[in-house]
Amino acid sequence: MKAIKVSFTQLLVSVKRDAMLFVICFVPLLCGLTFKYFIPFVEKLLTEHFSTVSIISPYYMLFDILFSMITPAMFCFVASMIILEETDEHIAGYLYITPLKKGGYLFSRIGIPAITAFIITLILIPLFKLSNLSIFTIFLLATAGTIQGIIISMLIVSFSSNKLEGMAVAKLSFLMELGSLGPFFIDGKSQFLLSPLPSFWMSKAIVENNSLYFLFTFLISGFWILLITKRFMMKTEK
């Protein structure tokens, strides 16, 4: 545990040294303020201009779903950039053979940031939510969003050799969150084309007010994590 604590402290120092990664940690707060105040302001302007009851408000739940994934995605992205930097500098390989070992290294680099993101998400969603979400639903969204962040992080570190490649893979990885658009904008069975994406089932659960759909989110997320972890292990054994 002491080795994990030291390793995580080293991660924080690395983030503090990198201005871009440091700023990214505050993106969730900026997004929350934008969603909470700017979106309703735009809704008011549009409804007054077009003399209608609502335009954006039917999609407030979608903004809440997306927001639940933002903090984990940003924190895990930052962590993955540090992993790639340490891998490129051959630091990670040395840490694998210390008492920290590979499992402890991954926990300090992805696990702790993900847990931190989960806690922060639980705090931020009630502050910035646009729709009426129960405490239980917020907990499920925060859990599912955190798992999404882990998947994104593992995709980046498993399919990138350096930070530049990591940025490119990150852009593709964030597309996994677009599954949440399906239940809102696609009618009929064709929306299930997005069902391999965990975010689709998160959105499905909220739209249909059925928490059981979160079970599919967790099962599919587990499959993604197992698949990507296998790829990561193959990469680090080379």
Side-chain angles (χ1 to χ4, degrees):
M1 181 58 74
K2 183 178 179 180
I4 292 175
K5 182 179 179 181
V6 172
S7 179
F8 179 65
T9 301
Q10 185 183 15
L11 169 68
L12 295 179
V13 172
S14 298
V15 172
K16 187 178 180 181
R17 284 202 307 259
D18 191 312
M20 183 192 76
L21 297 182
F22 184 74
V23 170
I24 288 175
C25 293
F26 295 93
V27 167
L29 182 59
L30 296 176
C31 288
L33 291 170
T34 301
F35 286 2
K36 181 68 175 181
Y37 299 105
F38 183 70
I39 298 300
F41 175 71
V42 173
E43 168 73 345
K44 182 179 179 181
L45 292 179
L46 290 175
T47 52
E48 289 179 354
H49 179 76
F50 293 103
S51 300
T52 185
V53 177
S54 64
I55 295 178
I56 303 177
S57 58
Y59 305 104
Y60 279 179
M61 289 188 295
L62 176 59
F63 285 105
D64 289 338
I65 295 168
L66 292 173
F67 186 64
S68 71
M69 295 184 279
I70 287 175
T71 302
M74 294 298 102
F75 277 38
C76 289
F77 167 75
V78 168
S80 64
M81 289 296 103
I82 298 299
I83 292 175
L84 289 177
E85 181 180 315
E86 293 175 339
T87 301
D88 190 43
E89 296 176 354
H90 306 290
I91 296 174
Y94 290 115
L95 292 175
Y96 292 162
I97 59 176
T98 65
L100 187 65
K101 297 184 179 180
K102 187 181 294 185
Y105 175 77
L106 287 177
F107 182 72
S108 68
R109 290 295 183 272
I110 297 179
I112 297 180
I115 293 171
T116 304
F118 170 73
I119 295 171
I120 293 176
T121 302
L122 284 178
I123 296 172
L124 293 184
I125 292 180
L127 290 176
F128 298 122
K129 64 185 177 71
L130 294 174
S131 59
N132 185 24
L133 299 174
S134 67
I135 295 176
F136 181 61
T137 301
I138 290 173
F139 176 81
L140 290 175
L141 281 174
T143 303
T146 300
I147 297 174
Q148 286 281 287
I150 294 173
I151 292 173
I152 289 173
S153 184
M154 291 300 293
L155 280 170
I156 294 171
V157 299
S158 297
F159 293 94
S160 308
S161 300
N162 51 59
K163 292 175 72 173
L164 184 60
E165 290 182 6
M167 295 288 287
V169 174
K171 293 176 182 178
L172 295 175
S173 300
F174 288 137
L175 293 177
M176 292 194 67
E177 298 182 357
L178 295 183
S180 58
L181 302 179
F184 284 92
F185 298 105
I186 304 176
D187 295 325
K189 295 182 179 179
S190 56
Q191 66 181 246
F192 287 96
L193 291 172
L194 298 173
S195 61
L197 302 177
S199 59
F200 168 81
W201 296 102
M202 291 173 63
S203 190
K204 192 80 170 169
I206 300 301
V207 169
E208 299 192 11
N209 194 27
N210 187 348
S211 298
L212 289 177
Y213 281 121
F214 277 105
L215 180 61
F216 290 100
T217 301
F218 300 139
L219 289 174
I220 294 173
S221 295
F223 175 77
W224 274 94
I225 291 174
L226 286 175
L227 196 64
I228 302 166
T229 300
K230 184 178 180 180
R231 161 71 183 181
F232 178 78
M233 293 302 180
M234 290 174 59
K235 176 185 175 182
T236 54
E237 288 172 0
K238 292 181 180 180

